[in-house]
Amino acid sequence: MKAIAIVGSTAQSQTLLADLLHWHGLSVFQVDENEALLSLLSFISPELIIIEPSVATAELVCDRIKHSSVLDNVPVIVCADRMLGQGSADAYLYSPYTAEDVFANIQVLRPLSALLSDSVVGSAWGDV
C-alpha cells in the first residue's frame, strides 16, 4: 500500500493528523516544505498528498506538485485556515474541519489515484 504524504511543519496539528491516519491503518509520511520537497515526494511516491494550514504558500506548493511530471496525477488536499482562490488542488478543507471531513475526502480521492495509476500502467504496456 502506498503512503499518504502530509506537507507542512511538524507542528502538533500535523502530528495529530498523521497519528490519526496511522491509527486508521494508513501509512503516513510527514514532509517539511523546503527546496527538496518535490524530490522527497517523488521518492516517497505517495498515493495522496495533504497540505496542512501551516504552509503559508499552500497554493504555490500545490501548483509545484501539479506541474511536476512525476506527481501531477497524485491527488492533493489543501487544508487552509481561510478561503483560498480556485487553485489546482483536488479538494479544499477550510477551518474548522473535522477528522471526518479529512477521511471523507481521502475516501473520495484514493480511488481516483488508483484509477490514474492503472491508466498510466495500462498505457505504458499497451494492449497485452
Side-chain angles (χ1 to χ4, degrees):
M1 174 173 72
K2 288 188 172 185
I4 293 176
I6 301 176
V7 176
S9 69
T10 55
Q12 184 179 5
S13 65
Q14 181 185 2
T15 303
L16 289 173
L17 178 59
D19 289 346
L20 182 66
L21 294 173
H22 183 70
W23 189 76
H24 282 278
L26 299 169
S27 180
V28 179
F29 282 95
Q30 293 178 263
V31 182
D32 284 328
E33 176 197 4
N34 58 33
E35 294 296 319
L37 174 67
L38 293 180
S39 297
L40 287 169
L41 289 174
S42 296
F43 179 74
I44 295 168
S45 186
E47 68 176 318
L48 188 130
I49 299 169
I50 299 174
I51 301 175
E52 279 287 304
S54 61
V55 179
T57 57
E59 280 300 323
L60 294 175
V61 170
C62 184
D63 287 343
R64 284 177 53 204
I65 291 167
K66 289 299 190 175
H67 287 97
S68 163
S69 61
V70 177
L71 300 167
D72 61 341
N73 286 329
V74 178
V76 176
I77 299 173
V78 172
C79 301
D81 291 328
R82 59 181 170 72
M83 196 75 138
L84 301 173
Q86 281 299 99
S88 54
D90 297 285
Y92 290 88
L93 291 174
Y94 299 106
S95 292
Y97 54 87
T98 65
E100 289 83 13
D101 297 331
V102 175
F103 282 113
N105 279 278
I106 289 172
Q107 287 301 100
V108 167
L109 294 174
R110 282 180 82 193
L112 173 64
S113 175
L115 288 173
L116 289 173
S117 63
D118 287 347
S119 68
V120 170
V121 170
S123 65
W125 290 100
D127 292 272
V128 183

